[in-house]
Amino acid sequence: YVPFDRAYLNYLMKKGDLFLLDLEDFSCFFYVRKRGDSLHVSISLLDDRFFESCLDKVLDYIKKSYSSSKIGFKVDEEEHLKVGCLEKKGFRIKGYLHHMVCEVDRMREIPEIEGVSLRNLREDELDDLIELINHAYGHKRLREDSVKEWFRIPSFNYDWIHVAESDGRIVSAVCTREDYRYNVYYRAKRCYIGPVGTHPNYRRRGIAKALLSKALNFFYELGFDSASLYVEGNNPAMRIYEGLGFVKKHSFILFEKE
């Protein structure tokens, strides 16, 4: 966990809507971000005993202010009070999100794949990268403004985006960057991986694993000692990450309600 600072709050407000709910007994912030036909909501308050009351007020506000068919929450699996409140309000468990971490302690062998070359993204290929990632995910997972935010990290450049080319086009990509806020707060040397995507026609050929190995070697050469990522529990890529040494450090429950 990394505490919010002014810069990160400004970043959130560019991506969605941030509100302060100030009531007699408690105050809380809640954050609303629209993704497709869903609203993703986060609630932050000092005393979880007021979570249910806060949740009622937030849901009432959202119902009046937004038109969306689904509302989603992400809750730490150990926050039992919040889990119980959401279930009580009719939210169902959609899945799980796992935070995984890997030690970057050696150079790794990168397998050769026939007809595929690994390299870094070129500046004139940003549109191709966004198109590939969104096609791989099946929704708008990556936007140009997100990549622009990566360039606010002092160490970031296009070398941090690793791609595989085949048949004259980009068919897989591993986007990485320094985990800058984490590193500043904890005085650490960690990198972040994501999003990762491979065109459906090129899956199950080991391309993503090769690109991830390339990325981990890139981190090692720069002097970083760990890498982290988030992955949903039903994602087949979990087997790839585990095979590379990533282990689960934290898990979240994804709730959704029509």
Side-chain angles (χ1 to χ4, degrees), residues 9-71:
L9 286 175
N10 286 334
Y11 166 73
L12 288 179
M13 286 188 284
K14 290 179 182 178
K15 308 289 281 187
D17 300 320
L18 186 67
F19 302 94
L20 171 64
L21 182 62
D22 193 8
L23 301 177
E24 183 177 346
D25 295 325
F26 64 91
S27 297
C28 77
F29 286 99
F30 66 98
Y31 177 68
V32 182
R33 183 176 179 182
K34 189 170 179 62
R35 287 185 179 174
D37 63 346
S38 300
L39 291 176
H40 290 244
V41 184
S42 300
I43 297 176
S44 298
L45 70 167
L46 291 175
D47 193 335
D48 283 351
R49 292 177 300 171
F50 297 115
F51 180 76
E52 185 169 2
S53 299
C54 184
L55 179 63
D56 288 336
K57 298 292 184 181
V58 169
L59 291 177
D60 183 59
Y61 181 86
I62 289 174
K63 184 177 180 180
K64 294 176 181 178
S65 306
Y66 294 88
S67 58
S68 184
S69 60
K70 299 175 185 176
I71 301 175

Side-chain angles (χ1 to χ4, degrees), residues 234-246:
N234 60 351
N235 191 328
M238 274 197 69
R239 293 193 298 272
I240 300 175
Y241 300 140
E242 290 171 340
L244 289 169
F246 283 86

Side-chain angles (χ1 to χ4, degrees), residues 174-216:
V174 172
C175 301
T176 72
R177 50 206 174 274
E178 180 184 350
D179 200 340
Y180 187 70
R181 292 180 61 245
Y182 180 92
N183 290 346
V184 169
Y185 188 76
Y186 289 105
R187 297 182 180 179
K189 296 180 180 180
R190 174 172 291 182
C191 295
Y192 181 79
I193 296 174
V196 175
T198 300
H199 191 284
N201 294 344
Y202 292 84
R203 290 173 181 167
R204 297 179 179 84
R205 294 178 56 183
I207 300 176
K209 183 178 180 180
L211 273 181
L212 285 162
S213 298
K214 177 182 181 300
L216 291 170

Side-chain angles (χ1 to χ4, degrees), residues 115-129:
V116 177
S117 60
L118 309 184
R119 58 177 175 83
N120 303 110
L121 187 75
R122 295 191 292 264
E123 187 174 352
D124 61 353
E125 295 176 319
L126 182 55
D127 289 342
D128 297 331
L129 171 73

